Amino acid sequence: MKEKKHKVLFVCLGNICRSPAAEGIFRHKVESRGLADRFEIDSAGTYGGHAGELPDARMRAAASHRGYTLTHRSRKLTDDDFLHFDMVVVMDDSNYERSSRIAPDRESQNKLYRMTDFRRKYVWDHIPDPYYEGAEGFELVLDLLEDCLEGLLEHLCPTEIQG
Ligand code: 4NP
């Protein structure tokens, strides 16, 4: 029997820094474990002002140094996303509130998760917005995302990734 895909949407504010990085890192993790056909992965932003743009050049450069190629085009989160995806994973409290207002009903709101719900070794309770920060802000975001996304993969595929 064919297993149902996990449909995961990552959400931040502009969909040019944190959420496209999360999408690229998570895609890399599932592909390297041979689990790509078990997942549908995408990202979106609660603010549509960067729609159509590639990720921020600073984030693309930092991600590329770690082996991730980010090609997503920014788009705004829609109410339909909550009907299609199983999990909508946000980066901070502001994303949570804005996404919650876009969610069409209570069942949709129950699909909202915080990225840091899946953290393993860091104690951060949000993924900080790097947009107005220097290079170290982007490195911190990637460190946190790599940790939390390993936790998310373990949560969704506990038996497949043992060892
Ligand atoms: P992101 O970062 O939410 O991680 O994509 C930001 C991108 C753009 C803006 C703020 C944060 N902005 O104000 O345009």
Side-chain angles (χ1 to χ4, degrees):
M1 196 182 78
K2 201 160 179 294
E3 283 193 70
K4 205 173 139 297
K5 284 192 185 200
H6 297 291
K7 297 180 188 168
V8 183
L9 181 68
F10 298 110
V11 170
C12 61
L13 175 60
N15 191 213
I16 53 169
C17 296
R18 293 166 292 175
S19 62
E23 178 190 339
I25 294 169
F26 200 55
R27 202 180 291 291
H28 187 272
K29 283 185 184 292
V30 305
E31 283 173 3
S32 67
R33 262 103 163 191
L35 296 169
D37 59 346
R38 302 272 310 278
F39 282 87
E40 183 177 328
I41 303 164
D42 195 3
S43 65
T46 60
Y47 164 67
H50 293 278
E53 294 178 17
L54 280 170
D56 185 287
R58 297 165 296 173
M59 182 52 92
R60 274 188 285 145
S64 162
H65 277 124
R66 300 190 189 203
Y68 311 115
T69 307
L70 308 183
T71 57
H72 177 80
R73 293 280 176 175
S74 177
R75 70 175 184 86
K76 190 171 189 295
L77 178 68
T78 68
D79 53 356
D80 275 348
D81 284 322
F82 282 92
L83 305 178
H84 181 74
F85 289 93
D86 308 315
M87 298 179 82
V88 177
V89 183
V90 304
M91 305 296 147
D92 62 28
D93 286 348
S94 167
N95 304 156
Y96 194 100
E97 273 168 37
R98 292 171 65 118
S99 300
S100 172
R101 274 187 256 126
I102 294 170
D105 53 26
R106 186 60 61 86
E107 198 185 328
S108 300
Q109 287 177 338
N110 288 338
K111 294 180 173 181
L112 280 170
Y113 297 83
R114 288 177 174 80
M115 181 63 81
T116 48
D117 290 345
F118 305 101
R119 71 189 183 189
R120 302 187 319 159
K121 60 182 190 201
Y122 289 95
V123 293
W124 284 75
D125 63 1
H126 67 289
I127 309 296
D129 183 349
Y131 194 65
Y132 296 105
E133 303 294 326
E136 53 307 336
F138 288 84
E139 296 301 329
L140 173 62
V141 166
L142 292 174
D143 288 342
L144 294 173
L145 288 177
E146 285 177 336
D147 183 58
C148 296
L149 289 166
E150 191 64 24
L152 175 62
L153 188 55
E154 271 174 21
H155 171 78
L156 291 173
C157 299
T159 51
E160 291 85 339
I161 65 163
Q162 265 171 12

